[in-house]
Amino acid sequence: MDERRTDRRYPTLTPVVVDATDFAGRAGVTEDMSDTGLRLRTTAPLPIGTRVRVRWRLQTIAAEVEAVGVVVRECDSVPESLFEHSMGVRIDSPVRS
C-alpha cells in the first residue's frame, strides 16, 4: 500500500463508541491513532465516505473525548475478533473533550 500518512501513528487498543447513520452507539476499538486519523474496528462494516463520530474515555483526566471524521479506506478484516471489520478514518475536526 502506498504510504501517504504524514503524522506518526501510535498503537493503541482503546474501547470506543461509534456513531454514524444506521450505526449509533455501537461498540468498537481503535488499533492506532494519530493527530489526523485512526484505524477503527467494529462489528459491522462502514462504507467508505461514511461520516462518523468516535467517542472514548481518557482515564488520565476522567473525561470523554470525541473525534469526527470520515471513513477513507477499508483495511484487512480480523475474522477471529468480535470487531472483525477494520477501516481507516480521517479526522477532520480536532479531538475534543
Side-chain angles (χ1 to χ4, degrees), residues 73-86:
R73 75 180 54 82
E74 295 174 353
C75 304
D76 294 336
S77 64
V78 185
E80 68 277 3
S81 171
L82 171 63
F83 305 109
E84 70 176 294
H85 301 281
S86 183

Side-chain angles (χ1 to χ4, degrees), residues 51-73:
R51 304 272 318 148
V52 296
R53 181 174 67 139
V54 182
R55 298 176 283 142
W56 65 95
R57 196 135 188 85
L58 286 179
Q59 300 302 324
T60 55
I61 60 172
E64 183 176 86
V65 295
E66 71 176 44
V68 176
V70 63
V71 176
V72 294
R73 75 180 54 82

Side-chain angles (χ1 to χ4, degrees), residues 9 12 22 24-25 34 47 50 53 57 64 74 79 84 90:
R9 294 252 169 167
T12 177
D22 298 328
S34 75
T50 301
R53 181 174 67 139
R57 196 135 188 85
E64 183 176 86
E74 295 174 353
E84 70 176 294
R90 183 186 67 233

